[in-house]
Amino acid sequence: MGVKQENGTLIKPSTEEETPNELDLKVKKYLRGDGANLEVLQDKKLKGQLAVREGLYKQSANAAAKAEKWLMPSEGGYLEAEGIEKTWRIKQESIAREVDILSSRNQYDIILPELGPYTLDFTSSGRYMALAGRKGHIGIVDVKQMNLIREFQVRETVRDVVFLHNELFFAAAQKKYPYIYNRDGTELHCLKEHGAVLRLQFLKNHFLLASINKFGHLHYQDITMGSMVGNFRTGLGRTDVMQVNPFNGVVALGHSGGRVTMWKPTSSSPLVSMLCHHGPVSALAFHSNGHLMATAGKEKKIKLWDLRKFEVLQTLPGHANTLDFSQKGLLACGTGSFVQVLGDFSATQNYSRYMTHSMVKGYQIKELVFRPYEDVLGIGHSMGWSSILIPGSGEPNFDSWVANPFETSKQRREKEVRSLLDKLPPETIMLDPRKIGTVHSAKKKEKATKQEREAEMENAVEAVKGINLKNKTKGRNKPTKKLKKKQEIIAKAKRPYLDQQMKEEEEIAKKKQKVSQEVELPKSLQRFSNKKAAS
């Protein structure tokens, strides 16, 4: 049935829906804003260039939208509050009642009060977890199947633990030295050159194990060759705040003077030294894109930094002993027995409170680590370790070529060989890795000093004096003619240096003349100034 207008005509309703389809919405998400208005331009050449560029932008947006539609079928979701309800007031018990059985298994507490506090680390796929208690308890857990693979007691202090390139090897920072173990708990190496290490980090693209010991020495060791790549003294005292930027492989250290320094293995001095806080830096974390850094200080402030401009984006009140970013950009802060998760839901890098969780009174949080590809936050504390659900924290789609939680032993071997072939040298670690492969612009030569110019002229004269002249025909081989020829060659060698010296003297004289003319003279003497300049 149509709609009747005033003139009596009927308009049939359209059979097709006016709302855009799913693919158009995805394309709109990847477009770079509204296109340029080309009709206003008068320059045909510029108009053609911009039209080609706009076409390329549309093609790339279509390709990205199709890849997301077919290769990333799952979508992440956050908690959504209704009415006056707040997301940070939703408890873990309420979430556990609503989720499926497999997700509810990721919510647990392991109580080992005599062996804590615990530090945790996950593999890049999120399948395996390494845990280390301060009193010497070390274990490997398959968190997907909830199976304990291996646990053992080293009977000395363990300060940190980190996986190497896969779950078969991990390193533990013990009382005197760091040790490397295999999956069965067999000790493979004792790295005595590192000393009493406080924190460990592994650079997976470069196969480098980085450590900071209690004397403030930073070490880089290549685990494939066993050689020490770098050994530097920071000069800023003892620190146990250390993180790796996933974007460029730069190691950041937080110091007691409020500074954050960034290092690479081929430089004995820090690449960047930032004064981030007025008190000691207590925690540090990097976003997965590498451009956002979060720091926490003892003056009870948490700051978010833009590393492209090295300026503060946001300052939040609160204290944190540990910080960690999730794959989707959520920021977890832990202090005492309280966990707070912040989120950027407006995509303007303006973080606000998303979820909170209170541990049992008396539990002291040691470390917070988000589990990759799962909405799970691991908590290492003084009484053991725990796991809670944080909806929307993990990437819902994994790439099996990058991190496969279900990989077989054959796939793991192939991936290990491929990663060794693609291993990056330490020289590729820099603040902006996009500069690799580019060409440096030619620098302007600095003017040589007078002494350097005289030395160059003397060297040129000495080189000319050693030339042996050819013997010529009778009458043209006289000593006087040979001497005259040598003098001409020496004068020819001196000429470019003397010409350059004369040009510089003339430029200096012109500058002096201009300066003297610019000096304001009294009116009574101004009529003589032109005559002096002319003379």
Side-chain angles (χ1 to χ4, degrees):
M1 187 175 178
V3 179
K4 193 172 183 181
Q5 291 186 342
E6 292 180 358
N7 55 7
T9 58
L10 292 174
I11 300 175
K12 293 183 180 180
S14 60
T15 55
E16 297 181 358
E17 295 182 356
E18 297 292 336
T19 58
N21 58 16
E22 183 183 355
L23 187 62
D24 291 339
L25 290 174
K26 292 183 183 296
V27 170
K28 190 176 179 181
K29 184 173 76 171
Y30 287 103
L31 282 173
R32 305 185 182 188
D34 297 331
N37 187 9
L38 303 179
E39 296 179 358
V40 183
L41 297 176
Q42 300 294 331
D43 190 346
K44 291 183 178 180
K45 186 177 179 181
L46 178 61
K47 191 174 182 180
Q49 290 176 349
L50 291 177
V52 172
R53 187 166 295 181
E54 289 292 334
L56 292 174
Y57 289 160
K58 289 179 181 178
Q59 288 179 9
S60 63
N62 285 324
K66 288 178 181 178
E68 182 182 349
K69 181 179 179 181
W70 298 111
L71 300 179
M72 296 192 232
S74 301
E75 294 183 359
Y78 299 102
L79 287 177
E80 294 184 2
E82 296 180 355
I84 61 172
E85 189 181 17
K86 304 298 181 182
T87 55
W88 60 83
R89 291 178 182 163
I90 300 175
K91 303 295 182 183
Q92 289 293 313
E93 294 80 6
S94 304
I95 297 174
R97 287 194 298 267
E98 302 297 332
V99 298
D100 58 304
I101 297 173
L102 288 177
S103 298
S104 63
R105 290 177 63 189
N106 292 322
Q107 220 176 27
Y108 57 83
D109 290 313
I110 306 297
I111 308 302
L112 296 169
E114 297 178 357
L115 301 173
Y118 276 83
T119 58
L120 311 174
D121 188 44
F122 290 99
T123 56
S124 59
S125 64
R127 173 86 184 255
Y128 299 93
M129 179 179 69
L131 52 97
R134 183 81 174 182
K135 303 296 176 59
H137 179 223
I138 298 176
I140 303 293
V141 180
D142 183 352
V143 288
K144 194 164 247 351
Q145 302 293 334
M146 291 306 294
N147 292 332
L148 179 64
I149 297 174
R150 181 67 63 183
E151 66 171 339
F152 55 96
Q153 175 64 248
V154 297
R155 299 188 179 184
E156 65 177 5
T157 303
V158 179
R159 300 185 184 94
D160 198 9
V161 65
V162 65
F163 274 112
L164 301 186
H165 54 285
N166 56 28
E167 72 276 7
L168 298 182
F169 304 97
F170 64 94
Q174 295 178 206
K175 184 177 181 180
K176 290 186 177 180
Y177 314 109
Y179 291 82
I180 294 179
Y181 297 94
N182 66 1
R183 186 176 178 176
D184 298 326
T186 305
E187 180 186 324
L188 301 179
H189 300 286
C190 175
L191 309 177
K192 292 187 178 180
E193 295 181 7
H194 292 248
V197 169
L198 300 179
R199 293 285 291 172
L200 290 169
Q201 290 291 325
F202 182 69
L203 286 68
K204 61 181 181 179
N205 294 327
H206 307 81
F207 282 82
L208 293 177
L209 181 65
S211 69
I212 184 76
N213 63 18
K214 64 181 183 181
F215 301 109
H217 290 184
L218 178 64
H219 294 80
Y220 289 90
Q221 184 143 14
D222 188 340
I223 66 164
T224 58
M225 305 297 292
S227 59
M228 186 67 72
V229 177
N231 178 10
F232 312 119
R233 183 172 183 147
T234 61
L236 294 171
R238 175 174 176 148
T239 178
D240 60 349
V241 180
M242 180 182 186
Q243 283 294 333
V244 173
N245 190 334
F247 174 66
N248 50 22
V250 172
V251 172
L253 302 175
H255 302 279
S256 58
R259 290 191 174 274
V260 171
T261 56
M262 298 183 186
W263 301 78
K264 68 175 183 177
T266 55
S267 175
S268 59
S269 59
L271 301 175
V272 176
S273 180
M274 302 169 58
L275 182 61
C276 296
H277 296 273
H278 296 295
V281 179
S282 59
L284 179 68
F286 287 99
H287 195 280
S288 56
N289 61 14
H291 302 314
L292 187 64
M293 180 179 72
T295 59
K298 293 288 186 181
E299 78 276 19
K300 296 185 178 181
K301 286 184 181 179
I302 298 172
K303 294 184 179 181
L304 297 170
W305 299 82
D306 187 352
L307 295 181
R308 291 168 291 189
K309 297 183 286 186
F310 296 103
E311 64 178 20
V312 181
L313 293 174
Q314 188 178 3
T315 302
L316 300 167
H319 179 55
N321 292 324
T322 174
L323 296 171
D324 191 39
F325 275 102
S326 73
Q327 290 178 314
K328 301 300 285 184
L330 297 181
L331 177 61
C333 314
T335 178
S337 58
F338 184 71
V339 179
Q340 186 176 19
V341 181
L342 308 174
D344 175 23
F345 304 106
S346 59
T348 57
Q349 294 180 342
N350 187 17
Y351 277 74
S352 58
R353 187 164 46 169
Y354 174 52
M355 288 185 68
T356 57
H357 177 68
S358 296
M359 307 291 295
V360 178
K361 191 175 181 180
Y363 286 21
Q364 296 298 310
I365 295 172
K366 172 69 174 174
E367 190 171 16
L368 298 177
V369 183
F370 279 103
R371 181 178 161 191
Y373 303 103
E374 294 285 347
D375 295 342
V376 174
L377 176 64
I379 306 171
H381 48 81
S382 59
M383 304 295 285
W385 73 91
S386 304
S387 177
I388 61 174
L389 298 176
I390 307 294
S393 62
E395 174 62 48
N397 305 286
F398 65 89
D399 186 353
S400 59
W401 290 97
V402 177
N404 185 6
F406 307 99
E407 69 181 359
T408 61
S409 58
K410 183 179 179 181
Q411 289 173 334
R412 184 180 63 242
R413 288 195 300 269
E414 291 178 355
K415 181 182 176 183
E416 187 172 1
V417 172
R418 190 167 60 250
S419 59
L420 283 169
L421 292 173
D422 295 338
K423 172 188 167 186
L424 298 176
E427 292 79 15
T428 58
I429 298 176
M430 57 183 68
L431 286 175
D432 189 4
R434 293 172 296 182
K435 290 183 178 178
I436 298 173
T438 58
V439 180
H440 285 291
S441 59
K443 294 182 179 179
K444 293 182 179 179
K445 292 184 178 180
E446 296 180 357
K447 289 185 178 180
T449 61
K450 187 177 180 181
Q451 295 177 353
E452 291 176 352
R453 198 184 308 114
E454 289 177 355
E456 288 179 3
M457 187 170 66
E458 289 177 2
N459 293 333
V461 170
E462 291 295 329
V464 169
K465 281 182 180 179
I467 295 175
N468 294 323
L469 299 176
K470 291 182 180 180
N471 291 325
K472 297 186 178 181
T473 58
K474 188 176 180 181
R476 298 177 63 189
N477 204 20
K478 293 180 180 179
T480 53
K481 286 195 174 183
K482 279 189 175 182
L483 181 62
K484 189 177 180 180
K485 188 70 175 177
K486 283 187 177 181
Q487 289 175 350
E488 288 177 358
I489 293 172
I490 291 172
K492 190 176 181 180
K494 285 183 178 180
R495 189 173 298 135
Y497 299 99
L498 296 175
D499 290 345
Q500 186 179 358
Q501 185 177 356
M502 287 178 64
K503 285 181 181 179
E504 291 180 358
E505 289 176 355
E506 288 176 0
E507 288 177 0
I508 293 170
K510 286 180 180 179
K511 287 181 181 178
K512 287 182 178 178
Q513 187 176 356
K514 285 182 180 179
V515 170
S516 62
Q517 288 178 0
E518 289 174 359
V519 175
E520 292 187 2
L521 296 175
K523 287 185 178 180
S524 59
L525 298 177
Q526 283 180 1
R527 59 197 179 99
F528 301 104
S529 61
N530 293 332
K531 292 180 182 180
K532 286 182 180 178
S535 62

